Amino acid sequence: KLIPDAAVAAEQIAPIVGIDAATLAKRFRQKNSSFAYVARQVDQSVADRVKALAIPGIEFQSEPRRFYPSGDLASPVLGVVGIDDNGLAGSEYLLNHTLTGHSGSRREEVDQFGRRIPETEQHLKPAAPGKDVVLTMDSGIQYEAQQALIDEVTRVNADGAVSLVMDLKTGDILAAATVTKGEDGTVRAASGTDRNRPFTDVYEPGSTNKIITMSAAIE
């Protein structure tokens, strides 16, 4: 309601945030709401360029964005989160309840101006942070496994490959690599939204399963 001209504002902002001007103008003109997101989690440079336009009604707020310092390393295992930090895939999804904290609350009596009435009862429930989750994976071994698979898939022109590296003494998974080939022929490590093939795809163990039978016989 504060934007003087929805069409003009949309034309100015659209090329900066990479959204179609008609789409933005439609958001600005909606009658059933006084609020709409223009773009979320943009880089600071983008926000600064929009801010420099000084368009009335366009406001800014800071919000966190997940950053992956190791890029696509073990992405299918780690998974991804949505724009509101909810787990969507991988460990982020599987352990979302453990990783997510719980909001606190405060209940109190207030006057007509919203001020707390002294000496009245107050109930406070403190917020609780989420718990840490530490995986057994070794980033160095994971990187080498991914690179070895990329090289081999490229060499033999395969559609993809998977690899699991385990510490046989403890059963800890040290690496779980998935490599895939895109439609353009580019071989790459799987992303966080790709299938976590070492754990989702069924593989017939064949003769390697005989060791289980032999172990049972020895026992």
Side-chain angles (χ1 to χ4, degrees):
K1 296 179 180 180
L2 299 176
I3 299 175
D5 190 315
V8 173
E11 287 290 344
Q12 291 178 305
I13 297 173
I16 300 176
V17 297
I19 299 176
D20 181 63
T23 301
L24 279 183
K26 185 178 180 180
R27 292 182 194 173
F28 294 159
R29 292 194 182 105
Q30 59 182 331
K31 300 182 183 301
N32 60 344
S33 175
S34 298
F35 169 85
Y37 281 110
V38 175
R40 296 188 66 179
Q41 295 189 343
V42 299
D43 293 335
Q44 187 63 47
S45 59
V46 174
D48 290 340
R49 290 173 62 192
V50 176
K51 190 175 294 185
L53 297 174
I55 300 173
I58 301 297
E59 299 181 357
F60 303 82
Q61 68 180 32
S62 297
E63 60 181 0
R65 181 170 65 179
R66 186 63 60 92
F67 175 68
Y68 296 92
S70 298
D72 60 8
L73 193 69
S75 288
V77 179
L78 296 178
V80 292
V81 295
I83 201 165
D84 294 314
D85 261 352
N86 53 314
L88 299 179
S91 299
E92 293 280 9
Y93 173 77
L94 179 67
L95 304 170
N96 189 66
H97 182 72
T98 302
L99 294 165
T100 303
H102 302 285
S103 300
S105 63
R106 184 175 66 187
R107 188 171 74 244
E108 59 189 17
E109 293 184 51
V110 299
D111 61 19
Q112 66 268 36
F113 301 107
R115 297 173 302 197
R116 179 172 179 264
I117 301 174
E119 307 302 326
T120 57
E121 193 172 2
Q122 181 179 217
H123 297 277
L124 179 65
K125 179 183 177 182
K131 296 180 180 178
D132 291 337
V133 172
V134 180
L135 303 180
T136 61
M137 299 179 67
D138 183 293
S139 59
I141 297 176
Q142 176 70 26
Y143 174 79
E144 293 295 339
Q146 289 184 184
Q147 290 303 119
L149 290 185
I150 289 174
D151 293 342
E152 188 65 11
V153 168
T154 302
R155 186 182 71 83
V156 301
N157 194 29
D159 291 331
V162 298
S163 175
L164 270 173
V165 181
M166 177 189 291
D167 184 335
L168 297 181
K169 295 180 179 178
T170 62
D172 289 348
I173 300 297
L174 303 180
T178 303
V179 166
T180 186
K181 184 166 65 175
E183 294 182 359
D184 60 353
T186 302
V187 180
R188 59 172 179 80
S191 67
T193 55
D194 288 326
R195 281 164 57 189
N196 193 6
R197 291 185 179 276
F199 301 103
T200 61
D201 288 17
V202 178
Y203 175 73
E204 171 57 53
S207 293
T208 58
N209 202 44
K210 290 178 180 177
I211 191 171
I212 299 175
T213 305
M214 295 300 294
S215 296
I218 293 173
E219 286 293 320

